[in-house]
Amino acid sequence: MKKFLTAVALLLMMATSADAAIYRQGIIYVIYDETGERSVTNKADVNSNGVPDVVEDIATQVNAAREVFQGVFNFPDPLNAARFKNVSSIEINIEAKDALKFNGLAYSTVRKKSAHDPNERALHFKVANTINPHTSSTPAHEYFHLVQYSATYFRNAWYLEGMARWSQDSVAKINYPDGADIHFKLKSKSAEEKIFKGKYDMADFLWYPLAVNMRDKVTLPAELVAKYRYVDGAPVFQDDIIFGPNVMLKILRVLKSKENLAAEKFGGVKEWRKKGQRAELNNEFILESVREVYHGKF
Ligand SMILES: [Zn+2]
């Protein structure tokens, strides 16, 4: 018994880093190490509050993106989704870039005992300790994955990563490609093959051109743009233009309506949700959703 307890104690020590700190901004909690290899690379603290500015700025960017998507455009709210029951916060863990490999990683699972309160359930994602929100919209990108997860179980990369890259336009300034050839891309077999193999690159190839072609250009409310600033006073929103929010929201809704068809083809909803979220057979349903929205069916 004693041996068992020792093992458990050891595991707990490994799971929680000794100097992990928690910074809260609204429903966002950033969990970060103050020193060591997981601590943020840029330790500037211009407001001298003991929290690295990068940590505060990551939370600020996510709250800003959240207000754009939920407050202005009515995208599904991850904290209110049928899929995630009784979650009340979002936890962001800062991880060493070397260990994480990516700039960020978003989970579609609920953290049943959140890091800031074991009695609370939280959604969560990771952001690399090298990220600087002034120049990177990774925090908004990872947040948008939570929006996607709460909208639909579809998870094929050309949709999941391509549209999440599109969502970075919420805070970033994007040089929009020409949308003139989208009609051809949605019909052509060779374009279809390229789309199905795509990932982040589908933002430029498909999602931005689609938004531009459909003339879904929106100017963010001036009060919102003025509201969000990083610790050093720099604006969070790099410009006040976003292309495509209405189109993308429609596509998410149509995707939801196609889930049963995809699941049926895979062998049932339970099986599909478990193993079929990235199945190749999903591709036709996702692209069909895009085509239907493009042709104004919704
Ligand atoms: Zn992503």
Side-chain angles (χ1 to χ4, degrees):
M1 187 66 186
K2 193 169 179 236
K3 211 171 180 182
F4 171 75
L5 280 175
T6 313
V8 169
L10 259 175
L11 269 174
L12 280 172
M13 277 167 64
M14 280 160 60
T16 52
S17 161
D19 59 354
I22 298 178
Y23 166 75
R24 180 187 178 186
Q25 187 186 100
I27 54 100
I28 307 289
Y29 292 81
V30 184
I31 297 138
Y32 64 101
D33 282 6
E34 293 177 308
T35 56
E37 60 185 18
R38 284 200 291 205
S39 63
V40 290
T41 314
N42 181 349
K43 295 192 171 52
D45 181 17
V46 300
N47 59 353
S48 309
N49 65 348
V51 181
D53 298 340
V54 166
V55 168
E56 294 175 74
D57 291 345
I58 286 170
T60 302
Q61 186 181 107
V62 173
N63 269 316
R66 188 169 157 75
E67 195 161 341
V68 168
F69 289 115
Q70 274 71 49
V72 181
F73 297 118
N74 285 316
F75 276 68
D77 184 349
L79 294 186
N80 207 10
R83 181 175 180 175
F84 307 124
K85 288 185 184 68
N86 303 317
V87 289
S88 49
S89 63
I90 294 167
E91 294 193 331
I92 304 168
N93 289 69
I94 309 289
E95 292 285 342
K97 174 71 191 275
D98 291 346
L100 189 57
K101 302 281 193 285
F102 306 101
N103 288 328
L105 184 63
Y107 293 85
S108 58
T109 51
V110 171
R111 189 174 267 170
K112 289 181 180 130
K113 292 181 178 181
S114 75
H116 72 277
D117 181 348
N119 296 313
E120 270 191 40
R121 293 155 57 88
L123 298 178
H124 60 121
F125 60 84
K126 289 177 176 173
V127 168
N129 60 348
T130 48
I131 287 297
N132 176 1
H134 283 73
T135 51
S136 160
S137 37
T138 289
H141 174 112
E142 299 309 327
Y143 172 70
F144 192 76
H145 280 318
L146 301 185
V147 176
Q148 291 175 301
Y149 300 153
S150 52
T152 174
Y153 284 85
F154 281 113
R155 217 170 157 150
N156 298 56
W158 63 273
Y159 145 69
L160 191 77
E161 294 305 344
M163 198 188 276
R165 170 78 45 99
W166 161 82
S167 79
Q168 294 175 222
D169 185 20
S170 56
V171 295
K173 183 172 169 55
I174 302 293
N175 293 317
Y176 297 97
D178 181 355
D181 59 352
I182 203 71
H183 188 76
F184 165 77
K185 281 176 183 169
L186 290 177
K187 277 207 310 199
S188 139
K189 194 74 198 161
S190 64
E192 183 178 297
E193 278 168 23
K194 184 178 164 149
I195 289 169
F196 292 168
K197 282 190 212 130
K199 215 171 167 184
Y200 304 96
D201 55 335
M202 287 304 109
D204 277 335
F205 187 79
L206 176 69
W207 302 107
Y208 284 129
L210 180 74
V212 172
N213 182 287
M214 292 185 74
R215 297 191 171 84
D216 185 16
K217 180 184 182 180
V218 185
T219 305
L220 294 175
E223 318 84 73
L224 179 68
V225 175
K227 179 176 166 186
Y228 286 96
R229 294 201 172 265
Y230 292 126
V231 170
D232 70 356
V236 172
F237 296 102
Q238 305 295 306
D239 73 357
D240 61 354
I241 301 294
I242 177 166
F243 267 92
N246 300 294
V247 170
M248 301 307 154
L249 179 55
K250 274 186 195 168
I251 290 171
L252 289 178
R253 287 182 178 149
V254 180
L255 281 176
K256 184 80 205 161
S257 75
K258 304 258 186 221
E259 283 185 350
N260 284 344
L261 291 168
E264 211 173 285
K265 221 171 161 185
F266 194 82
V269 173
K270 223 174 158 186
E271 195 66 9
W272 181 71
R273 285 185 179 177
K274 222 165 148 190
K275 292 179 187 157
Q277 294 180 26
R278 297 172 199 269
E280 221 171 290
L281 65 85
N282 296 342
N283 283 330
E284 58 172 302
F285 294 104
I286 305 174
L287 193 57
E288 185 54 25
S289 305
V290 177
R291 288 190 185 117
E292 286 177 10
V293 170
Y294 175 69
H295 291 295
K297 275 185 145 184
F298 295 92

